[in-house]
Amino acid sequence: MIKILLLFLFALSILCAEDYYKILGIKKTATEQEIKKAFKKLSLKYHPDKNKGNEAKAQEQFQKIVNAYETLKDPEKRKVYDQYGEEGVKQKEQQQNSGQGFSGFPGGGNFHFNFGGSGGGGGFDDIFSQFFGGGGGGGRQNFGGGNFGGGNFDGGFDGFEQKQKKTNLFHETKVEIIGMGDLSRFYRREEVWVIYFFRPNGEGQKHKKALVELADKFEGIFRVASIDCDDEEELCEDEFSVTQYPSILVFPAKINSKPTKYKGSWEVNDLARTPIDLMEDFVQIVNENNFENFIQAVKPKTILFTNKKATPPLLKALSKEYRGKLEFGLVRFSETTLINQFNIQKYPTLLVLHDANDYQKYESEDFSKEEIKKFLRQFAYNQKQKKRALQLSNQCGPSAKDLCFVLVYEIQDQIKLLEPLVNKYENEKINFYYTPSNKDTVCNKQCTYIIKPKRQQFSIEYDFKKMVSFIDDVLGGGRIFQSSKQDL
């Protein structure tokens, strides 16, 4: 009776067990190559970076396809599965681990992955990358961890088969090598990517020199990567829909943007045009008319004086990397007023300005990205920007938060009177500005006045010697303010 019950339970477990062929979407007569192809295609579908917001379900499904693949890729396990089902495979593994023979009757055990966290993407991402291995790139840092090979993973997981040991076409170059395990860094890209799809035959090797030169010349500006479509056929055809080789796709930094198929020549300068055009650009073209507004920004201002018409790709890359920390401007050689103002003698010349009278020049002849970054870091990561007196333009409108102290001067040297005031009231909610006297100012001769921006009210003090007491009175709640009929 007990044997009958056990046989019934065994038969029931087979009926309820997962159908590995159905999970992989293949026939029971599928070849080893068809099993492998189906597995890689489904793995791409459930990649962690393609299932944001639905990680738990993707993890569950990925574990199912790994279980199915790990069983069906092995001829001996597959034979047991075809005869006894999932439970038969579990028992065989359990008895092998304990040193017992296989009796053909169910026991326990199964592949199981510890994804880490509570459904978060970190563990899942690690599992995916380690399962397939990371390719990395020759001269660039290696982002992968290599194949797991014979390593054990929570009870029997032995990883993806190691690829044939052959030297990749771009081994030991700055062209990055992309495989299944490297997709996360592509999906999480923050810059433009140029990807070369090739088969390592004569035609594929024909363009190696151009791609290597492109990667060397534009390192740190955009990424140059490659995919060997002999090794990564599913990646090329299923993920990127590339079937003609060699081909180049250029991907914008924004993940949801469609790639551009490159159709130009294989000359390096031609290859570079598309990725440069697709780069994000946070550089302002500065001229005589907008210069005063440009330097009003609180953050340090980086200005490149150039004799080129287009914005250099290096400046575009830096403007994105330091966005929120530095402002970037470009002054062309035709802006003679600004060229003369800063005594520019050669091109390119790079300056970092706090204001029109306080700036620092990049003295090195080396205009590589890393050297320029060393120079810019001292300005970008200064934790607290020192308060400075600025030229008055439109900073004191109704949207301004702090009081505005304005010095109306008749002589340029009078601006220096603001320096001790700026230091004295560094931590107070008051900003300092200067403007020349004229018929449009609040007073048509030298004076100081304080503005309450939200109310657009002001109070005047004509005696420069009383500026400190004037500010103290206002900060203490004193002084009479009046509304203005003109723009303050």
Side-chain angles (χ1 to χ4, degrees):
M1 185 69 181
I2 294 176
K3 286 185 177 181
I4 294 173
L5 179 60
L6 288 171
L7 287 170
F8 173 75
L9 292 173
F10 177 52
L12 184 62
S13 69
I14 292 175
L15 291 173
C16 296
E18 298 281 5
D19 185 337
Y20 288 167
Y21 293 101
K22 187 175 180 180
I23 287 172
L24 295 179
I26 56 176
K27 296 179 181 179
K28 289 190 176 182
T29 56
T31 64
E32 183 180 345
Q33 193 62 30
E34 288 171 335
I35 293 169
K36 181 179 177 181
K37 185 178 179 71
F39 169 67
K40 292 181 81 173
K41 185 174 182 177
L42 286 169
S43 296
L44 286 169
K45 180 178 179 180
Y46 293 103
H47 189 282
D49 284 302
K50 295 176 72 174
N51 290 273
K52 296 297 184 184
N54 199 25
E55 289 92 342
K57 187 175 180 180
Q59 289 177 9
E60 180 183 356
Q61 193 61 30
F62 182 67
Q63 180 164 320
K64 286 182 180 180
I65 63 176
V66 168
N67 283 336
Y69 173 71
E70 282 291 309
T71 297
L72 299 183
K73 74 164 187 172
D74 185 313
E76 187 179 346
K77 289 182 183 178
R78 184 177 180 182
K79 185 177 179 180
V80 173
Y81 176 78
D82 288 342
Q83 186 174 0
Y84 297 104
E86 185 180 18
E87 288 298 321
V89 176
K90 289 179 182 178
Q91 188 206 24
K92 182 177 185 299
E93 288 172 352
Q94 185 183 50
Q95 292 179 346
Q96 281 179 337
N97 289 335
S98 63
Q100 300 175 18
F102 175 56
S103 65
F105 199 70
N110 195 10
F111 294 114
H112 180 72
F113 304 113
N114 181 9
F115 287 102
S118 55
F124 185 21
D125 181 37
D126 290 342
I127 290 290
F128 192 97
S129 295
Q130 291 167 349
F131 193 87
F132 289 103
R140 192 180 289 274
Q141 63 267 39
N142 191 330
F143 288 86
N147 286 333
F148 256 47
N152 224 351
F153 214 103
D154 270 8
F157 171 54
D158 64 356
F160 199 68
E161 309 106 301
Q162 292 191 359
K163 297 171 184 175
Q164 292 180 344
K165 292 183 178 179
K166 68 174 186 180
T167 302
N168 188 281
L169 184 62
F170 294 100
H171 179 62
E172 293 187 348
T173 73
K174 291 177 182 176
V175 177
E176 298 186 34
I177 299 167
I178 301 297
M180 290 277 286
D182 306 300
L183 284 177
S184 287
R185 58 192 166 101
F186 167 73
Y187 290 136
R188 299 172 190 178
R189 64 188 181 274
E190 293 183 353
E191 61 273 280
V192 173
W193 278 56
V194 177
I195 300 185
Y196 177 60
F197 300 84
F198 72 99
R199 293 190 184 277
N201 51 26
E203 189 67 20
Q205 294 183 25
K206 183 178 176 182
H207 307 299
K208 176 181 177 179
K209 183 179 178 182
L211 269 295
V212 171
E213 188 177 339
L214 184 72
D216 287 343
K217 187 174 181 179
F218 293 94
E219 183 181 16
I221 295 174
F222 54 78
R223 295 281 188 97
V224 180
S226 65
I227 300 179
D228 182 338
C229 295
D230 272 359
D231 287 344
E232 305 289 352
E233 184 176 351
E234 293 79 14
L235 195 57
C236 296
E237 296 183 4
D238 297 327
E239 181 65 13
F240 294 104
S241 302
V242 173
T243 55
Q244 293 183 335
Y245 312 101
S247 293
I248 287 181
L249 293 181
V250 184
F251 294 83
K254 293 182 179 178
I255 303 303
N256 295 325
S257 300
K258 292 184 178 180
T260 298
K261 185 173 183 179
Y262 179 72
K263 298 180 180 179
S265 78
W266 293 92
E267 295 294 324
V268 172
N269 289 338
D270 290 338
L271 287 167
R273 284 195 185 97
T274 301
I276 289 172
D277 288 344
L278 292 176
M279 289 178 68
E280 294 174 285
D281 185 354
F282 302 101
V283 180
Q284 182 178 341
I285 304 301
V286 179
N287 53 45
E288 183 181 357
N289 296 325
N290 66 8
F291 175 73
E292 289 297 335
N293 284 335
F294 177 74
I295 64 170
Q296 299 305 318
V298 175
K299 295 186 286 291
K301 281 70 63 177
T302 304
I303 296 184
L304 180 72
F305 292 83
T306 179
N307 55 0
K308 306 292 184 183
K309 291 183 179 180
T311 302
L314 175 55
L315 197 64
K316 288 184 180 182
L318 291 168
S319 75
K320 179 173 182 178
E321 188 165 341
Y322 288 103
R323 191 181 183 193
K325 298 179 178 68
L326 300 172
E327 299 289 341
F328 281 81
L330 181 77
V331 176
R332 296 194 174 105
F333 67 96
S334 56
E335 295 295 328
T336 55
T337 301
L338 294 177
I339 300 295
N340 293 332
Q341 179 177 340
F342 291 97
N343 193 29
I344 303 301
Q345 301 293 322
K346 63 179 181 178
Y347 304 101
T349 293
L350 187 70
L351 304 179
V352 175
L353 293 79
H354 291 291
D355 58 45
N357 302 307
D358 183 4
Y359 57 88
Q360 191 168 337
K361 182 180 177 182
Y362 178 67
E363 299 289 355
S364 174
E365 295 292 329
D366 185 350
F367 269 77
S368 66
K369 185 180 181 183
E370 285 308 312
E371 287 303 311
I372 294 176
K373 283 174 65 175
K374 290 178 184 177
F375 174 67
L376 296 179
R377 284 189 194 112
Q378 60 185 307
F379 308 103
Y381 298 105
N382 183 11
Q383 294 298 312
K384 185 177 180 181
Q385 297 295 335
K386 189 175 179 181
K387 187 179 288 187
R388 295 175 178 274
L390 302 172
Q391 174 81 36
L392 181 68
S393 56
N394 56 357
Q395 304 97 324
C396 298
S399 62
K401 295 180 179 179
D402 298 334
L403 296 172
C404 294
F405 180 95
V406 182
L407 183 144
V408 181
Y409 65 88
E410 292 180 328
I411 303 170
Q412 185 85 17
D413 283 350
Q414 291 175 327
I415 296 174
K416 295 179 181 178
L417 294 171
L418 290 174
E419 292 179 8
L421 297 177
V422 170
N423 293 329
K424 180 177 177 63
Y425 298 100
E426 172 75 23
N427 299 316
E428 299 291 344
K429 292 185 177 181
I430 183 168
N431 295 316
F432 294 86
Y433 303 94
Y434 52 86
T435 187
S437 61
N438 57 59
K439 60 182 179 62
D440 295 323
T441 54
V442 170
C443 49
N444 56 12
K445 58 180 180 179
Q446 69 179 40
C447 73
T448 60
Y449 61 96
I450 295 178
I451 303 170
K452 290 182 177 178
K454 290 183 179 180
R455 298 182 181 181
Q456 284 295 281
Q457 294 179 334
F458 70 96
S459 181
I460 293 181
E461 172 57 61
Y462 290 96
D463 189 348
F464 281 1
K465 295 180 181 180
K466 295 181 178 179
M467 288 191 293
V468 171
S469 60
F470 177 36
I471 296 171
D472 287 342
D473 285 349
V474 172
L475 292 176
R479 287 280 180 161
I480 297 174
F481 280 75
Q482 56 185 303
S483 297
S484 174
K485 295 181 180 179
Q486 65 186 83
D487 185 6
L488 294 175

